[in-house]
Amino acid sequence: MQRASRLKRELSLLTTEPPPGITCWQNENQLDNLRAQILGGADTPYEKGIFNLEIVVPERYPFEPPKIRFLTPIYHPNIDSAGRICLDVLKLPPKGAWRPALNISTLLTSIQLLMAEPNPDDPLMADISSEYKYNKQLFLLNAKEWTEKYASQ
């Protein structure tokens, strides 16, 4: 019950006061299956891109983090080809930094920040990570190309 009322509150807040560049809604009236869109930030290779994400809220939420993945392909060192995201707030301690005080809005904002500032030292995609570290121009070119190919409307 706690989960349902908290999710309703979070969704209502996401609807009335969404973080800039982020939208989130229920998928097919299921409270535990959400969709989100993140707009690529200005001055990033993802600029003008619209990235769709899937959010699956576990039974034990908020004591366990939602599972979030990109549905839109994105060229990024911390996001793999299946859309999985390497981000500490998406994992439970001791490896992760999830705590029940966090919410879906904070997670989406953290993902948006990760898009703007990749963490090449904790990569899911080693090849993209080394490109980011050692050949940033090529990385930016590839990321921009993917954004135009997969994330433009």
Side-chain angles (χ1 to χ4, degrees):
M1 210 57 230
Q2 184 186 5
R3 172 181 159 224
S5 63
R6 173 157 167 174
L7 274 172
K8 280 195 179 88
R9 220 176 29 247
E10 282 190 41
L11 274 171
S12 139
L13 215 67
L14 275 161
T15 308
T16 55
E17 303 168 37
I22 294 173
T23 48
C24 184
W25 64 94
Q26 277 177 269
N27 188 36
E28 299 165 0
N29 280 342
Q30 295 175 309
L31 201 53
D32 56 358
N33 189 342
L34 311 175
R35 290 287 183 268
Q37 275 187 341
I38 296 181
L39 302 180
D43 304 321
T44 73
Y46 311 109
E47 190 169 7
K48 293 193 176 83
I50 298 174
F51 297 87
N52 292 304
L53 294 91
E54 171 188 70
I55 304 167
V56 178
V57 183
E59 206 54 59
R60 293 195 60 241
Y61 182 80
F63 303 103
E64 183 175 301
K67 292 180 180 15
I68 303 181
R69 70 184 186 94
F70 274 79
L71 297 173
T72 306
I74 181 171
Y75 194 83
H76 194 287
N78 308 106
I79 302 161
D80 72 9
S81 51
R84 291 184 304 243
I85 306 160
C86 183
L87 186 61
D88 60 351
V89 290
L90 293 175
K91 294 189 281 268
L92 284 166
K95 284 190 165 134
W98 170 257
R99 11 181 244 292
L102 297 173
N103 59 34
I104 292 168
S105 179
T106 342
L107 291 180
L108 291 171
T109 306
S110 300
I111 292 168
Q112 191 181 39
L113 197 65
L114 182 70
M115 286 169 68
E117 296 176 19
N119 177 1
D121 300 322
D122 190 16
L124 268 182
M125 304 295 281
D127 49 339
I128 298 177
S129 174
S130 61
E131 186 179 285
Y132 180 83
K133 277 179 165 170
Y134 307 113
N135 191 348
K136 195 130 181 205
Q137 284 316 106
L138 182 62
F139 165 80
L140 292 170
L141 197 75
N142 285 329
K144 208 178 175 86
E145 208 170 90
W146 275 51
T147 301
E148 284 165 12
K149 186 173 177 183
Y150 299 110
S152 24
Q153 297 301 313

